DNA sequence: ACGTGATACAACCGTATGGTTGTATCAATG
DNA sequence: CATTGATACAACCATACGGTTGTATCACGT
């Protein structure tokens, strides 16, 4: 699965085509060729996008006859989510701290 | 605030230095120079990172005397989070559908 | 075993990105 | 108003990225 770190994950998500592939691969029904059919670019270009997503750990490929079905790996997405959640949590902490500051200054003000 | 779309947001988050800036800017206490002090690169380089984050709508700058304090914009982060949440929701839907399929096939199997 | 469908990979091209140094703007202070 | 501190911006360089075409691999059907 290569080295799926935050850098790779966010970089992989920073492209509309790749985000759409992730979306379609949630269903886990299409091979690379079918996916390529949806986009106005060459088969090789789509294959490269798939490779980027694979390197980031956001998808896997599973052989099915002569095709390779592309599947979204929810674990990878969850890693990104948890990072953003962390920011959110810290943000809330900040807001609370600010609220406390305001509250205490209001106390001393009166 | 330029054009903060998903491409820009994820691209901005795909760099460890920039993610760290976002983290520090949650506190909203440091100017560009203070931020630059934390990283092993030139002031100008950090300034560019800040510009990328600003273009993505992830931070704003607020003048405070001769400094400009860097502040994280939680709205931008939430946009990214909501997108990932959407994937998560679709994933759950997929799993439920699979469960139904299994259930119905079990019915027809017996 | 051969031909074909599906995927992979390499070489190449233009542009974007991340870093550098140097110069310019802008705001507070003496 | 001249100086200094803090930020901004331009020019430049090396490397990465997104796309192309062409060739190679690999698995199935006949």
């Amino acid at each position: 699965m290569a080295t799926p770190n935050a850098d790779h994950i966010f970089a992989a998500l920073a492209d509309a085509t790749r985000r759409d592939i992730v979306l379609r691969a949630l269903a886990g029904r299409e091979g690379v060729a079918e996916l390529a059919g949806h986009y106005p670019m060459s088969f090789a270009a789509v294959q490269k996008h798939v490779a980027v997503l694979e390197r980031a750990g956001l998808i896997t490929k599973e052989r099915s006859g002569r095709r390779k079905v592309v599947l979204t790996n929810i674990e990878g997405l969850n890693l990104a989510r948890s990072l953003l959640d962390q920011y959110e949590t810290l943000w809330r902490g900040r807001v609370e701290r600010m609220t406390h500051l305001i509250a205490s200054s209001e106390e001393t003000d009166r």
Side-chain angles (χ1 to χ4, degrees), chain A residues 65-86:
Chain A
R66 58 178 63 179
R67 299 185 316 145
K68 281 196 178 173
V69 173
V70 178
L71 306 144
T72 297
N73 174 27
I74 201 71
E75 301 298 329
L77 286 172
N78 282 339
L79 208 160
R81 266 169 36 101
S82 69
L83 231 162
L84 295 180
D85 284 347
Q86 192 184 319

Side-chain angles (χ1 to χ4, degrees), chain A residues 5 20 34 48 51 58 60 68 83 88 99:
Chain A
N5 55 30
D20 195 69
E34 285 96 331
K48 272 197 187 180
L58 290 175
T60 57
K68 281 196 178 173
L83 231 162
E88 176 74 20
T99 307

Side-chain angles (χ1 to χ4, degrees), chain A residues 18-99:
Chain A
R18 286 197 290 262
R19 287 194 302 276
D20 195 69
I21 291 175
V22 167
L23 219 52
R24 291 181 184 275
L26 281 169
R29 301 220 151 276
E30 303 186 291
V32 185
E34 285 96 331
L35 285 174
H38 300 302
Y39 313 106
M41 65 188 71
S42 71
F43 174 83
V46 173
Q47 193 170 260
K48 272 197 187 180
H49 283 305
V50 170
V52 169
L53 289 167
E54 194 172 19
R55 199 169 76 99
L58 290 175
I59 62 149
T60 57
K61 282 178 285 188
E62 181 179 297
R63 176 130 253 150
S64 165
R66 58 178 63 179
R67 299 185 316 145
K68 281 196 178 173
V69 173
V70 178
L71 306 144
T72 297
N73 174 27
I74 201 71
E75 301 298 329
L77 286 172
N78 282 339
L79 208 160
R81 266 169 36 101
S82 69
L83 231 162
L84 295 180
D85 284 347
Q86 192 184 319
Y87 290 143
E88 176 74 20
T89 302
L90 288 169
W91 172 264
R92 278 200 229 282
R94 186 196 103 114
V95 171
E96 267 180 37
R97 252 175 281 126
M98 281 173 57
T99 307

